[in-house]
Amino acid sequence: MGLTSRPLLYVTITLAVACVALTVWIWPRLAGRGPRAVLGRLGAIAATQVVIVAVLGLVVNSSFQFYASWHELLGLYDGAPAAVGKWGNEGTAGPAGDPSKGLVQASGPEGLDKVHGVPTGPPEKNGKVETVRIVGKRTKVVDPAYVYLPPQYFQKQYARQRFPVIVALSGYPGGIFLLGQHLRLPETAAKLIRDGSLQPSVIVMLRPTIAPPRDTQCVDVPGGPQAETFFDQDVPEALKSHYRVGHDPSAWGVLGYSSGGSCALQLAMRHPRTYTAAAALSPDYKVSNDPTTGNLFGTDKDRGTRREQHDLMWRLAHLPAPGVNVLIGTSRSGENNYPAAKAFLAAVRPPMKADAIVLDHGSHNFATWRRELPAALQWMSRTLVFPEEVVGKS
């Protein structure tokens, strides 16, 4: 049974109920003072608590999709440079990480069947969300994705038209399910497009963690996962090979919340020839090692330089400002990142441009980010250029 499957949850709930009932039934027999009675009571309490905690863990994981499989939970992966999984429908896909079979591969539901508000019905009227796996040609990484295609993508008058792209990144340790279900990204984008306040855009939802359970922070780790290369080079190349999306950087933006927002800023500021806009909700402004990341910068003499290069305040102070647009989402109270956001915004200088969404009160949670999302998408729509190129012309 899969880690997020309903049968596993129901079996575990049944086991928990049985453990509680059995503990109540045998408790009078364990009322003695001898060692066997004491050990029996401790065992009954421990077994009941373990099963109840397992039920709670499964419920939370099913809701937030922190880990999509037993392999992710246990950290069991193939020996590739980063986590590589098997994929494919009816045997049509090649081995994990094989780019010769296509850089965008059809995938299973990836939890999309549990996401509320996903467009249904005729795609030319309501749009569509696809589940795919993106294969890194250079990194051999395979990352699951939801791809939102607007109604215009399927309409005859747009048959040769390319579209702007918004790459949306979840936080850590969450996955793409959170972007769909809890951030409500497809639902919100579809509504804004219907209202005419968001230009038709392709939105690609990804998790920044390419080697779970390790938090790779969109960094190329020396001798380890090449997350930065994956998002800077592999993802755009894969999407351009499969979807009608713009080829010029002016049509590409990246959006994220929490650590996904941190990645968004890193990618735009470090790679302005790939992404020209970044919307970051509750981000950090530098990458640091912690227990979830391990050593991101290596142990050689260049480790200090690598660390500085991923400190955005250091970059603003010591390097030429990139010609990109950024949007920061923060709150005056309730979030402890407000002083850092003020300092970052104050440090921005031309040709870089910065805007902000500042709530009077918010928290580091989806309720806050959902309030900020419509404004962030509308900002992205004003910032990105609708591609002039069409299919069949360079």
Side-chain angles (χ1 to χ4, degrees), residues 168-179 183 205-209 255-263 366:
L169 301 176
S170 67
Y172 175 85
I176 57 177
F177 176 81
L178 301 186
L179 290 163
L183 191 61
M205 291 156 267
L206 290 158
R207 62 183 183 189
T209 304
L255 175 151
Y257 65 85
S258 190
S259 60
S262 306
C263 282
F366 286 103

Side-chain angles (χ1 to χ4, degrees), residues 240-360:
K240 290 173 185 177
S241 74
H242 192 81
Y243 294 104
R244 299 197 319 273
V245 295
H247 287 196
D248 191 87
S250 62
W252 284 72
V254 56
L255 175 151
Y257 65 85
S258 190
S259 60
S262 306
C263 282
L265 289 178
Q266 293 278 341
L267 289 169
M269 291 183 63
R270 289 173 57 84
H271 302 284
R273 294 184 178 180
T274 303
Y275 302 101
T276 56
L281 311 180
S282 305
D284 290 323
Y285 302 93
K286 67 178 180 179
V287 176
S288 302
N289 291 332
D290 63 37
T292 67
T293 65
N295 187 346
L296 295 172
F297 306 108
T299 57
D300 60 19
K301 60 182 179 63
D302 294 326
R303 64 186 182 277
T305 300
R306 295 190 193 99
R307 185 179 292 106
E308 283 182 340
Q309 293 285 328
H310 284 280
D311 183 333
L312 299 184
M313 294 299 292
W314 183 92
R315 295 183 70 87
L316 288 172
H318 296 90
L319 299 177
V324 297
N325 298 296
V326 299
L327 174 71
I328 303 300
T330 187
S331 306
R332 291 187 179 88
S333 65
E335 290 192 84
N336 58 14
N337 65 2
Y338 181 62
K342 286 197 343 182
F344 175 82
L345 292 166
V348 171
R349 63 187 188 281
M352 185 175 172
K353 298 178 182 178
D355 294 297
I357 300 171
V358 182
L359 302 178
D360 289 334

Side-chain angles (χ1 to χ4, degrees), residues 144-164:
Y146 295 159
V147 180
Y148 169 77
L149 302 171
Q152 291 79 1
Y153 192 90
F154 303 96
Q155 295 171 2
K156 290 183 179 180
Q157 61 267 39
Y158 290 89
R160 297 182 60 205
Q161 179 65 57
R162 299 187 184 277
F163 291 83

Side-chain angles (χ1 to χ4, degrees), residues 103-104 134-139 162-163 165-167 169 202 204 206 226-254 267-268 271-276 389:
L103 302 180
V104 177
I134 295 179
V135 181
K137 186 175 182 180
R138 297 162 187 79
T139 61
R162 299 187 184 277
F163 291 83
V165 184
I166 301 173
V167 174
L169 301 176
V202 172
V204 183
L206 290 158
Q226 302 296 287
E228 186 171 15
T229 296
F230 178 71
F231 288 105
D232 169 47
Q233 300 182 48
D234 285 345
V235 168
E237 181 178 6
L239 296 175
K240 290 173 185 177
S241 74
H242 192 81
Y243 294 104
R244 299 197 319 273
V245 295
H247 287 196
D248 191 87
S250 62
W252 284 72
V254 56
L267 289 169
H271 302 284
R273 294 184 178 180
T274 303
Y275 302 101
T276 56
E389 73 260 26

